[in-house]
Amino acid sequence: MAAPHSVDPAQLVTELASASVSSDVLAEMITSLANAMMSAQADQACGAGYGERSRERTNQRNGYRAREWDTRAGTVELAVPKLRQGTYFPDWLLTHRRRAEQALVTVVATAYLLGVSTRRVEKLAEQLGVKSLSRSQVSEMAGHLDTQVTAFRSRPLDAGPYTFVWVDALTVKVREDGRVVNVHALLATGVNADGHREILGLDVASAEDGAGWLAFLRGLVARGLSGVQLVISDAHPGLVSAIGSALPGAGWQRCRTHYLRNLLSRVPKSAQPHVATQVRTIFDQADADAVRAQYDRVVEALALKYPDAAAHLDDARDELLAFTGYPREIWRQIWSNNPQERLNKEIRRRTDVVGIFPGRDAVIRLVGAVLAEQSDEWTEGRRYMSLDILAKSRIRIVTVESNTAGAEPGVTAEPLTA
């Protein structure tokens, strides 16, 4: 998509005068002016004009991305400039998370229609200005948003291989059959072949068990999920067996943060700070051999006073140290579910406002809209992992006792696939 880099009044008048009778002259004028203003602002961010050679230049253009803008003259398509380093977004013109905020409005309105609103939701609705929405208006808004969320959730996962995948579940309250029940929103994110993070899937399950996880992961595979080397998550019930069934060949990294909480429950409260410090030293080592050696020392030290905790830590060795099989540069990104937790906080910020959802479709509508907006930001942002690190992560290291003719011992570039 091309956009003007400056406004020439004479040229603009000529273009509008030559516009066809059926075209909306006002919409074309708005589009031209908005694109030119964004282009000028992008030039300021780059430190030089478009195509200009200058020593003051600090950045470069990298094409455009299309973004719809709702105006009184109708919906127009703008060309938002992209930069090679960092991101540019015209906050003075467009609003972030438009779909997510629209979802919040429809959830509140749906709660009114179903008669399950509370004082808290009423107060929220007044703040949002949702006072006189008709059934037809709510139905139209929800239908438009549901179409977008459905397309996002069912899109092909064709940007693989997805070397690393993070999965997690959030508990949400939903009103069903006249009572309030807990349902689980299953989420998955991954790193695609281009090094960007990507939202892979969302589903709502009645129980967080093996059957729910298996169906969720198989749905991702059916949409194209492939090349998974490592899945990072908490120890959700049935998840490990589901990974083995749906993603054969993929390993499992247990989140070190969640595990530490479980381990500390096995020692007296007064000893928890000291034990936590000891366990953290395992992950502060410079290489994989040092990590394993420190793991042994920590287990031996705990066994003197807290044999139950030491046995628990020793049993979790393989699932906690899966990250050591990958480059040291990305250990912090793959040894815990912290990247997923930051996404969960953004979701919780929206779902906590609603409290009790009127139905599962409302959960998918709101959470799906938040995830779609987050995916857009990740796509437009910088890479989460570099391409060379991803290439190294896909090299399988094996130990061989006898070298076959013409083969290099110990290393094969054959990638593990799921």
Side-chain angles (χ1 to χ4, degrees), residues 230-291:
L230 187 67
V231 179
I232 303 98
S233 75
D234 190 11
H236 299 291
L239 177 58
V240 179
S241 59
I243 293 172
S245 299
L247 303 171
W252 178 52
Q253 168 66 46
R254 185 171 183 176
C255 174
R256 52 167 281 192
T257 304
H258 287 87
Y259 174 79
L260 183 58
R261 297 171 188 166
N262 296 334
L263 179 66
L264 294 181
S265 65
R266 298 175 176 268
V267 300
K269 190 172 183 179
S270 59
Q272 290 180 0
H274 174 66
V275 172
T277 301
Q278 282 188 302
V279 174
R280 291 191 183 101
T281 62
I282 298 173
F283 303 92
D284 292 335
Q285 307 306 310
D287 54 55
D289 292 336
V291 169

Side-chain angles (χ1 to χ4, degrees), residues 145-397:
L145 187 63
D146 287 344
T147 300
Q148 298 181 34
V149 172
T150 300
F152 174 74
R153 293 178 61 222
S154 59
R155 77 192 190 283
L157 299 177
D158 53 5
Y162 297 90
T163 308
F164 301 104
V165 172
W166 292 261
V167 296
D168 204 359
L170 296 177
T171 303
V172 184
K173 295 185 181 297
V174 172
R175 189 177 298 273
E176 290 184 344
D177 300 327
R179 61 193 182 97
V180 177
V181 299
N182 288 331
V183 297
H184 304 275
L186 309 183
L187 311 172
T189 62
V191 177
N192 57 32
D194 194 40
H196 286 89
R197 293 180 69 188
E198 183 179 338
I199 306 293
L200 302 179
L202 162 68
D203 203 357
V204 176
S206 299
E208 189 183 339
D209 55 10
W213 283 115
L214 182 59
F216 178 59
L217 294 177
R218 282 180 174 175
L220 298 180
V221 173
R223 288 169 47 211
L225 179 64
S226 63
V228 180
Q229 298 253 10
L230 187 67
V231 179
I232 303 98
S233 75
D234 190 11
H236 299 291
L239 177 58
V240 179
S241 59
I243 293 172
S245 299
L247 303 171
W252 178 52
Q253 168 66 46
R254 185 171 183 176
C255 174
R256 52 167 281 192
T257 304
H258 287 87
Y259 174 79
L260 183 58
R261 297 171 188 166
N262 296 334
L263 179 66
L264 294 181
S265 65
R266 298 175 176 268
V267 300
K269 190 172 183 179
S270 59
Q272 290 180 0
H274 174 66
V275 172
T277 301
Q278 282 188 302
V279 174
R280 291 191 183 101
T281 62
I282 298 173
F283 303 92
D284 292 335
Q285 307 306 310
D287 54 55
D289 292 336
V291 169
R292 298 187 186 96
Q294 181 64 13
Y295 202 104
D296 292 334
R297 288 191 287 268
V298 172
V299 170
E300 292 176 2
L302 290 179
L304 298 177
K305 290 187 176 181
Y306 314 109
D308 183 47
H312 193 275
L313 182 61
D314 192 36
D315 292 340
R317 181 187 303 265
D318 293 338
E319 58 201 44
L320 282 178
L321 300 186
F323 70 91
T324 59
Y326 299 91
R328 178 70 174 81
E329 295 88 339
I330 60 172
W331 281 5
R332 289 184 178 274
Q333 293 163 288
I334 65 173
W335 66 23
S336 74
N337 225 21
N338 286 347
Q340 184 77 24
E341 289 298 325
R342 287 189 286 270
L343 176 62
N344 292 348
K345 287 182 180 180
E346 182 63 24
I347 297 173
R348 284 295 188 195
R349 187 172 70 87
R350 307 301 182 88
T351 58
D352 287 349
V353 172
V354 178
I356 302 174
F357 282 80
R360 299 192 183 198
D361 56 341
V363 176
I364 292 178
R365 181 179 303 138
L366 178 56
V367 178
V370 175
L371 295 179
E373 295 291 349
Q374 182 63 71
S375 185
D376 289 346
E377 292 185 8
W378 285 347
T379 300
E380 298 167 359
R382 60 186 300 179
R383 286 191 175 96
Y384 189 67
M385 292 183 181
S386 64
L387 298 183
D388 59 332
I389 290 297
L390 285 177
K392 292 178 182 178
S393 300
R394 299 196 60 78
I395 296 178
R396 179 169 55 187
I397 307 299

